[in-house]
């Protein structure tokens, strides 16, 4: 059993690298920091290195810890933990190079499409968040949950379930959340930090995004777009657009919501998909080299905004 091998590896080794996927989301940051808390409790040495910057909304989870974007000089690590990534490409080229230097890779995730790329794999596709898997790892290690650990893992759960709303929200979601609250996670505090500290630039960006709303397939598809100039005109950045697709999902009759985003320094368009259960957007995104979950997925597709929209909408109309 890989799970037991992972527990024993942590008990027997002392130096670890922790990482996760590019374009960090809440579960990504929360799971990495939750695992770091576990290693601190066990007296292990661990460093988090992510390719991309940590979104402002999740920086409250850092406390006194640091997420690096380059390996600090003279850092020793013997094994790398890759969290919340369906495949190794998701961590980004600079981090893949780091991981290949260690003695092995531990893959901890909850994506259905996970490729089991690790030397050891703990993948639970029914778990609503990687934070749940990290919680189970803490239990398996016999680590007592600290308030810091509980707060971090709880943040991963609320973000990946859309605040306990998505179809991945299960009895286990609430049972683990209850235990995290029991050990010091404060639901109101976490929600306020993540959702009610928005910069006004984000609201200005939202105005532009909503005005781009269009529909296809008799209103079964609603889609939004963000061009590069939207960010300059509103003083916002790509991280502030993370959940704006949800406005398209919220419309009555929508089976599929799509957000098209031009990317800085890239000839690809970032396409996000959301479904309310009828369409498996993981499979739809795979048509374009992407992936994710049944209800939320994405892809980065080469071409201009107009070209990618035409290609994606033509395919999407077959799915609704
Ligand atoms: Mn996740």
């Amino acid at each position: 059993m890989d799970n037991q091998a992972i527990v024993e590896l942590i008990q027997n080794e002392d130096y670890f690298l922790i990482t996760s996927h590019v374009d960090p989301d809440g579960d990504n940051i929360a799971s990495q920091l939750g695992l770091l808390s576990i290693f601190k409790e066990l007296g292990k040495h661990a460093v988090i290195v992510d390719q991309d910057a940590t979104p402002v909304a999740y920086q409250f989870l850092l406390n006194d810890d640091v997420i690096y974007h380059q390996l600090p000089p003279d850092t020793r690590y013997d094994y790398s933990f890759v969290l919340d990534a369906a495949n190794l490409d998701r961590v980004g080229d600079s981090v893949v190079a780091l991981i290949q230097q260690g003695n092995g890779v531990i893959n901890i995730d909850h994506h259905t499409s996970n490729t089991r790329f690790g030397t050891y794999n703990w993948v639970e596709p029914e778990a609503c968040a990687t934070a749940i898997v990290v919680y189970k790892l803490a239990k398996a290690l016999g680590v007592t949950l600290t308030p810091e650990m509980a707060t971090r893992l709880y943040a991963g759960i609320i973000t990946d379930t859309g605040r306990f709303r998505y179809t991945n929200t299960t009895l286990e979601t609430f049972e683990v959340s209850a235990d995290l609250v029991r050990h010091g996670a404060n639901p109101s505090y976490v929600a306020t930090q993540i959702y009610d500290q928005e910069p006004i630039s984000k609201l200005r960006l939202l105005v532009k995004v909503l005005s781009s709303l269009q529909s296809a397939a008799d209103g079964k598809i609603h889609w939004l777009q963000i061009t590069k100039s939207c960010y300059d005109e509103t003083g916002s950045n790509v991280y502030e657009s993370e959940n704006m697709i949800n406005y398209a999902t919220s419309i009555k009759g929508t089976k599929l919501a799509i957000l098209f985003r031009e990317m800085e320094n890239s000839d690809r368009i970032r396409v996000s998909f959301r479904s309310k259960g009828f369409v498996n957007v993981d499979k739809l995104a795979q048509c374009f080299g992407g992936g994710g979950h049944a209800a939320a997925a994405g892809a980065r597709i080469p071409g201009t905004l107009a070209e990618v929209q035409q290609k994606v909408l033509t395919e999407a109309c077959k799915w609704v």
Side-chain angles (χ1 to χ4, degrees):
M1 232 348 222
D2 274 11
N3 297 9
Q4 189 52 36
I6 291 168
V7 167
E8 286 169 17
L9 185 141
I10 292 171
Q11 287 164 341
N12 295 332
E13 298 289 334
D14 284 312
Y15 296 91
F16 304 110
L17 180 83
I18 302 171
T19 191
S20 185
H21 59 79
V22 293
D23 301 325
D25 56 25
D27 187 33
N28 165 320
I29 301 298
S31 299
Q32 293 184 91
L33 288 169
L35 182 59
L36 185 68
S37 297
I38 293 171
F39 286 149
K40 286 197 293 187
E41 278 300 296
L42 294 169
K44 308 286 179 178
H45 301 270
V47 59
I48 301 178
V49 182
D50 291 348
Q51 181 164 305
D52 287 354
T54 307
V56 175
Y58 311 123
Q59 289 178 5
F60 77 99
L61 293 170
L62 287 168
N63 299 333
D64 293 331
D65 292 323
V66 179
I67 293 180
Y68 294 97
H69 306 291
Q70 271 182 324
L71 188 72
D74 304 321
T75 303
R76 175 177 171 183
Y77 61 96
D78 296 331
Y79 288 88
S80 302
F81 281 76
V82 178
L83 306 187
D84 201 41
N87 58 67
L88 208 45
D89 291 341
R90 288 282 290 140
V91 303
D93 294 342
S94 64
V95 173
V96 168
L98 293 179
I99 288 169
Q100 284 165 344
Q101 286 167 28
N103 295 339
V105 173
I106 297 91
N107 164 20
I108 295 186
D109 187 34
H110 70 130
H111 290 85
T112 314
S113 56
N114 189 288
T115 58
R116 271 71 175 175
F117 56 83
T119 318
Y120 301 103
N121 303 282
W122 189 334
V123 180
E124 298 204 12
E126 26 351 283
C128 66
T130 297
I132 296 259
V133 188
V134 174
Y135 167 89
K136 290 183 181 178
L137 176 60
K139 290 276 159 185
L141 284 160
V143 172
T144 305
L145 295 172
T146 63
E148 178 184 79
M149 211 184 287
T151 299
R152 289 170 168 180
L153 297 177
Y154 180 85
I157 293 171
I158 66 163
T159 51
D160 250 28
T161 59
R163 313 179 212 187
F164 305 111
R165 285 175 38 204
Y166 299 155
T167 51
N168 60 358
T169 308
T170 62
L171 178 60
E172 178 185 73
T173 306
F174 288 106
E175 285 177 340
V176 173
S177 299
D179 197 36
L180 295 172
V181 172
R182 183 179 296 119
H183 286 90
N186 179 330
S188 167
Y189 169 74
V190 174
T192 301
Q193 292 299 311
I194 295 175
Y195 299 111
D196 292 338
Q197 312 278 348
E198 305 286 25
I200 194 154
S201 55
K202 181 169 177 176
L203 275 290
R204 295 200 174 108
L205 178 65
L206 179 61
V207 171
K208 285 198 179 285
V209 172
L210 292 180
S211 66
S212 77
L213 179 69
Q214 296 196 54
S215 62
D218 297 322
K220 287 180 278 195
I221 298 173
H222 281 95
W223 56 277
L224 300 160
Q225 69 173 40
I226 304 179
T227 61
K228 282 180 199 169
S229 64
C230 290
Y231 299 117
D232 293 338
E233 289 164 14
T234 57
S236 59
N237 61 59
V238 65
Y239 300 110
E240 294 174 4
S241 62
E242 193 188 331
N243 292 313
M244 291 187 181
I245 189 172
N246 295 341
Y247 291 94
T249 319
S250 72
I251 300 164
K252 185 176 182 182
T254 299
K255 290 188 164 149
L256 174 63
I258 310 174
L259 173 64
F260 298 93
R261 281 179 280 186
E262 284 185 334
M263 293 167 66
E264 213 60 59
N265 311 318
S266 171
D267 55 359
R268 287 170 183 258
I269 302 297
R270 193 168 151 191
V271 185
S272 304
F273 300 98
R274 295 289 184 278
S275 141
K276 286 191 276 199
F278 182 79
V279 180
N280 182 335
V281 291
D282 180 24
K283 295 228 161 63
L284 174 57
Q286 284 174 29
C287 297
F288 299 100
H293 302 285
R300 292 170 171 212
I301 307 173
T304 65
L305 190 57
E307 286 165 1
V308 170
Q309 282 171 344
Q310 217 237 326
K311 210 188 306 182
V312 169
L313 289 166
T314 301
E315 180 65 26
C317 284
K318 300 177 196 160
W319 290 67
V320 293

